[in-house]
Amino acid sequence: MAIHFLLSSKAKTLSLKAIYAGGEDKAYGTFCKLRWADTDGEAVCPRCGTLGAYAMKTRRRFKCSACSHQFSVTSGTIFANRKMSFTDLLAAICIVTNGAKGVSALQLSRDLGCNFKTAWVFSHKLREAMAAETKSHNLEGDIEIDGCYFGGHVRPENRKEDRKDRRLAEHQTGKRRVVVAMRQRRGRTLTGVFKSEDDSVGMIQERVRAGSLILADEAASWDVLHGWYTAKRINHSLAFSDDGACTNQAESFFSRLRRMVGGQHHKVSGQYLHQYAAHAAWLEDHRREDNGMLVRRALGLSLSHPVSRQWKGYWQRAQLM
Ligand SMILES: [Zn+2]
C-alpha cells in the first residue's frame, strides 16, 4: 500500500538537527543564496545594483565597490536589524513551517530559548512575507467561495435568568469578524477579513477574473455574484456536494484555520486575523511540498520582502504607547 506523502521520507528533507549541525556559516550561505538567487549568492548592492561587493568577512557585511554603500544579507528585507543568529532564524522558519496549523509564539520562544517578544514579532514578520506571495495573484476557473466567523465571543451569565439573547446586536461585542476565502480548484487560496460577508463582494470582483465559475453555499450575500459570474450554489442543509457543486476545498481551508486559531493561538485579535488567515492559506496551498522546500520558499519570500512597516520596532513603539 502506498503511504501518504507526508509520512514518506520525501516529505522530510530538512531537520533542526541538520540546521544546527551545519552551523552559522552554512546558514549564512543559505541566506545569501536565497537573497541573491539570480547571481547564485553573489552580493548585489541594494543601492546601485552593482555586483562584486567587497565582503567584510568578520562582520558578515558587504561594501559596494562602486558606491561604497555598506549592507548585509538582510538589509532592506523583513529581517533587517535581526537580533537572532542565522541558525536560529532558519530553525524558527523550520519550526513554524513544520507546524501544519502554525506554532504559537510562546511555544516557539520555548523551543528556541528566546524572548517571547522576539518570537512574536518574528512570527508576524514571517506571516507578512508569506501573505505577499499571492498579493498580486488573481484567480480564474472554478472558484469556491465561503465565509467563516471568528471572535467576539460573549460568555453567557452563570444563571439562566441573567442570560441575554446573544443573537441581538446590542448584546454583542462588535469584535466578530468573518474570514472570506476564495479557493481556486487546482490553484491558490486568497483570503480577506470583513465585518460581514456582504462587505467582501468588492474583493471577490477584484480578485476573481470574469468568466470564472463561482461555487458557493446558499447564503444571500453571494446572490449578487450571479451578475458577474456563472454561479453554482449548494444548499448545505440538503447536501454537501451535488453534481460538482460543493465548497469542500474552501471548507478544508477553514478547518485548518479554525484548528490554528483554537489549537495554537487560542485567541487572536481581529486586527491580526488576516495574517493568520493568510498563513493558513499558504500552508494549505503548499501542503504537498517537502519541508526543506517550504523553508526555502518562506525564507526566499522573507528576503525579497521589504522592511515591515507594521512590525519594525514593534515593541519599542508599544512601550511608548
Ligand atoms: Zn552600490
Side-chain angles (χ1 to χ4, degrees):
M1 194 184 82
I3 58 167
H4 189 281
F5 169 70
L6 292 177
L7 297 176
S8 72
S9 60
K10 284 196 191 110
K12 292 166 274 192
T13 55
L14 187 64
S15 68
L16 292 177
K17 197 162 66 177
I19 290 170
Y20 283 107
E24 195 63 4
D25 284 340
K26 192 172 175 204
Y28 177 62
T30 306
F31 271 68
C32 290
K33 275 228 160 80
L34 288 168
R35 167 93 196 248
W36 297 297
D38 296 340
T39 56
D40 198 27
E42 192 182 343
V44 180
C45 173
R47 185 183 281 169
C48 71
T50 304
L51 257 173
Y54 168 69
M56 303 149 84
K57 273 254 158 36
T58 48
R59 294 173 55 213
R60 290 208 175 93
R61 286 184 72 80
F62 299 93
K63 189 172 176 180
C64 176
S65 53
C67 76
S68 300
H69 178 56
Q70 286 193 23
F71 58 96
S72 78
V73 68
T74 54
S75 291
T77 76
I78 204 155
F79 291 145
N81 303 310
R82 70 193 167 83
K83 309 271 186 310
M84 294 159 84
S85 65
F86 291 108
T87 37
D88 277 350
L89 271 175
L90 211 51
I93 296 174
C94 190
I95 291 168
V96 172
T97 52
N98 277 348
K101 53 182 180 318
V103 172
S104 74
L106 190 59
Q107 185 174 328
L108 184 63
S109 74
R110 286 177 185 145
D111 282 346
L112 291 175
C114 73
N115 194 310
F116 167 76
K117 293 177 174 183
T118 309
W120 160 264
V121 165
F122 163 82
S123 303
H124 274 297
K125 284 178 175 173
L126 191 63
R127 282 186 203 105
E128 185 178 311
M130 285 171 170
E133 195 177 42
T134 50
K135 208 165 66 183
S136 49
H137 188 86
N138 290 326
L139 305 180
E140 59 187 338
D142 296 357
I143 318 293
E144 296 183 10
I145 288 178
D146 202 5
C148 181
Y149 282 85
F150 289 86
H153 177 71
V154 179
R155 183 197 289 238
E157 294 295 334
N158 179 30
R159 294 187 184 283
K160 188 164 182 263
E161 60 267 30
D162 299 332
R163 288 180 199 159
K164 299 178 181 113
D165 186 348
R166 291 181 291 160
R167 290 168 300 181
L168 299 175
E170 66 256 38
H171 296 147
Q172 290 174 0
T173 60
K175 289 182 178 168
R176 199 164 154 77
R177 292 289 178 275
V178 62
V179 174
V180 171
M182 305 167 281
R183 185 162 187 182
Q184 180 180 327
R185 289 185 180 166
R186 289 174 297 280
R188 300 301 304 253
T189 308
L190 306 182
T191 55
V193 174
F194 304 90
K195 280 199 165 170
S196 75
E197 286 182 343
D198 288 346
D199 296 342
S200 71
V201 170
M203 171 189 74
I204 295 170
Q205 264 186 285
E206 205 176 291
R207 309 296 297 271
V208 178
R209 293 220 173 88
S212 295
L213 171 69
I214 298 285
L215 301 129
D217 63 21
E218 292 278 82
S221 314
W222 313 132
D223 290 350
V224 65
L225 296 174
H226 288 258
W228 298 291
Y229 306 102
T230 315
K232 269 192 191 174
R233 308 292 288 277
I234 176 85
N235 184 342
H236 281 161
S237 63
L238 299 179
F240 291 117
S241 171
D242 185 20
D243 189 27
C246 72
T247 55
N248 292 353
Q249 292 191 34
E251 293 291 347
S252 70
F253 158 73
F254 282 122
S255 168
R256 187 185 296 261
L257 181 58
R258 271 194 299 268
R259 284 155 208 255
M260 177 185 277
V261 171
Q264 273 294 325
H265 305 295
H266 297 189
K267 197 177 172 190
V268 306
S269 134
Q271 191 186 352
Y272 304 128
L273 183 55
H274 68 284
Q275 289 212 314
Y276 295 103
H279 183 187
W282 191 89
L283 287 167
E284 191 70 29
D285 290 349
H286 298 303
R287 69 197 179 285
R288 290 299 170 89
E289 287 174 13
D290 65 81
N291 73 332
M293 179 70 211
L294 289 179
V295 170
R296 284 194 300 280
R297 187 185 282 283
L299 179 58
L301 285 166
S302 304
L303 293 174
S304 56
H305 195 287
V307 174
S308 170
R309 268 193 280 170
Q310 187 176 16
W311 298 107
K312 180 196 172 194
Y314 175 80
W315 291 110
Q316 285 92 318
R317 273 180 282 126
Q319 271 167 5
L320 293 173
M321 280 193 280

